[in-house]
Amino acid sequence: MSEPPLLAVEDLVVEFTTEREVIRAVDGIGFEIRAGETVGLVGESGSGKSVTARAVLGLLSSPGQIKRGEIRLQGTELTTSGWDGHRGTISIVFQDPANSLNPVYTVGDQITEALRIHQGLRGQAATTRAVKLLEDVGIPDATARVDEYPHQLSGGMQQRVVIAIALACDPDILVCDEPTTALDVTIQAQILDLLADLQRDDDLGILFITHDMGVIEDATDRVNVIYAGEIVERAPTDVLFDRPAHPYTRALLDSIPGRTPPDAQLPTIDGEVPTPTGPASHCRFAPRCPEAFAACEDTAPTHVSIDTGGGGSSSASPRDASAGRATERSSNRDAVDDESAAPQTTQSAACLLYEDSTAHQQTDSQ
């Protein structure tokens, strides 16, 4: 029997109520994270990634509110019991260290504050531990650096301090919300290597949030692709990059530099992520999707599990999925228009929300 996940999110709905409208920023998403595992949450800006992170951490501010769903941290359901007493179990690394750190306090003061709140350490014991944390995140001459202010450090060093503060809680789960976005490519690689080392040493579960598919490929074990508040595809990372099923996932991958010929124009996704104002009544990606057809505009997508064998995922039409079959990637229009593909069903959505069925099989066998 497999160990239960450190974090399990199920059917999470987050809404922001304003005088003009209700914005459903997160719409029924779910995922799990186990010890030693890095799970990615990837999508464009405005897809609901950071709102998801804040909801999981209990950091939503008004007018944001969890309307439905469960967030189970080591078996405890937090939306009903509250986050008090669990703050040290899960910690976050934000994307911009310059905004995360207080410019008028030394880095040592900021680390020892976290140690005092979460570990009960004070005085020399806290300072000694702060120096050790700075050493753990790769800051040289930590004994001197502990008394420096954020502006005296480079951007990469500042981000290492932010990670040290997050580790001061001695967490089991680390939420990394775009932790490399503000850094140059070389420093990005160093931070990713650091997170991998810390995970290996402490068996951390990591939720890695980003819009960068290249970082997702390097840093994660499994991926959840989110669009307009919904997870449209999930799979092991290697499977998703090898055989992406959803048109949105394929569009994200096609936009990565280096995946197109050097003399070809880099593909882009026309339009913008919509702002959901209620439950999905149609495919939210349809207005931007090159494979959309009439049914996409009036039918909400359906979650299906697909298995192409060997841990792969593929694009399947609604009829193929209902018949228990998986097809190699093809356009949804072709799949639905082919009357011989599979028996007729009542489903008619162009794009399903894809889940590689082997992902759970692999996870459950751990």
Side-chain angles (χ1 to χ4, degrees):
M1 184 175 179
S2 63
E3 293 184 4
L6 293 174
L7 176 68
V9 177
E10 184 176 342
D11 194 27
L12 180 65
V13 174
V14 178
E15 292 182 347
F16 290 79
T17 302
T18 69
E19 293 181 356
R20 299 178 56 185
E21 60 186 354
V22 176
I23 298 172
R24 182 167 284 204
V26 175
D27 191 6
I29 74 169
F31 56 86
E32 295 180 349
I33 302 174
R34 285 175 164 78
E37 179 183 44
T38 299
V39 175
L41 187 62
V42 64
E44 296 169 274
S45 296
S47 290
K49 305 185 300 297
S50 293
V51 173
T52 299
R54 290 183 175 276
V56 166
L57 287 151
L59 296 179
L60 281 176
S61 56
S62 180
Q65 186 177 8
I66 295 175
K67 301 297 290 187
R68 190 179 74 225
E70 293 185 351
I71 300 172
R72 294 190 298 276
L73 183 61
Q74 296 179 328
T76 301
E77 211 292 292
L78 299 181
T79 63
T80 54
S81 66
W83 278 259
D84 291 345
H86 300 280
R87 296 290 184 187
T89 306
I90 183 168
S91 191
I92 187 166
V93 177
F94 290 107
Q95 62 178 287
D96 187 353
N99 288 330
S100 299
L101 297 172
N102 192 321
V104 301
Y105 289 97
T106 67
V107 298
D109 288 338
Q110 296 179 67
I111 297 173
T112 56
E113 179 184 28
L115 290 169
R116 175 178 56 81
I117 293 172
H118 295 285
Q119 304 294 330
L121 295 179
R122 288 176 170 79
Q124 187 57 45
T127 301
T128 300
R129 178 60 179 155
V131 171
K132 178 62 167 60
L133 285 168
L134 290 178
E135 292 173 344
D136 290 345
V137 298
I139 292 183
D141 196 13
T143 303
R145 295 285 190 178
V146 75
D147 292 322
E148 293 185 345
Y149 291 86
H151 74 271
Q152 296 176 278
L153 305 177
S154 66
M157 289 290 189
Q158 289 177 358
Q159 191 64 297
R160 290 173 186 268
V161 171
V162 172
I163 294 172
I165 294 172
L167 294 176
C169 304
D170 194 21
D172 294 314
I173 300 173
L174 200 59
V175 177
C176 298
D177 188 4
E178 303 269 12
T180 61
T181 298
L183 307 175
D184 64 49
V185 175
T186 302
I187 304 302
Q188 279 187 17
Q190 293 176 5
I191 295 299
L192 292 178
D193 288 343
L194 170 62
L195 290 171
D197 290 342
L198 293 171
Q199 182 179 56
R200 182 174 56 252
D201 293 342
D202 298 329
D203 209 24
L204 287 170
I206 296 178
L207 175 62
F208 201 102
I209 297 172
T210 183
H211 64 273
D212 189 328
M213 293 296 285
V215 171
I216 283 290
E217 185 175 22
D218 291 338
T220 65
D221 302 302
R222 291 188 292 118
V223 189
N224 297 274
V225 181
I226 185 171
Y227 183 80
E230 297 178 294
I231 290 178
V232 297
E233 184 169 0
R234 62 165 58 94
T237 304
D238 57 345
V239 172
L240 184 130
F241 275 77
D242 182 51
R243 291 188 177 184
H246 197 280
Y248 180 58
T249 307
R250 297 201 293 271
L252 289 177
L253 291 173
D254 288 343
S255 66
I256 299 176
R259 293 177 69 95
T260 54
D263 57 345
Q265 182 176 350
L266 186 67
T268 59
I269 307 174
D270 293 335
E272 298 179 349
V273 179
T275 301
T277 55
S281 59
H282 62 284
C283 176
R284 289 173 175 156
F285 186 57
R288 308 173 69 191
C289 180
E291 302 178 26
F293 60 101
C296 304
E297 302 293 341
D298 56 23
T299 306
T302 303
H303 283 276
V304 295
S305 294
I306 54 177
D307 181 4
T308 58
S313 64
S314 69
S315 177
S317 76
R319 298 172 194 167
D320 293 327
S322 297
R325 301 170 53 198
T327 64
E328 290 298 319
R329 191 176 80 188
S330 61
S331 75
N332 288 305
R333 179 186 295 276
D334 291 342
V336 173
D337 286 346
D338 182 5
E339 293 298 330
S340 63
Q344 182 71 36
T345 74
T346 57
Q347 295 179 325
S348 59
C351 292
L352 304 175
L353 304 183
Y354 295 102
E355 177 175 347
D356 175 45
S357 62
T358 62
H360 291 296
Q361 295 168 7
Q362 293 168 355
T363 299
D364 291 343
S365 65
Q366 293 177 351

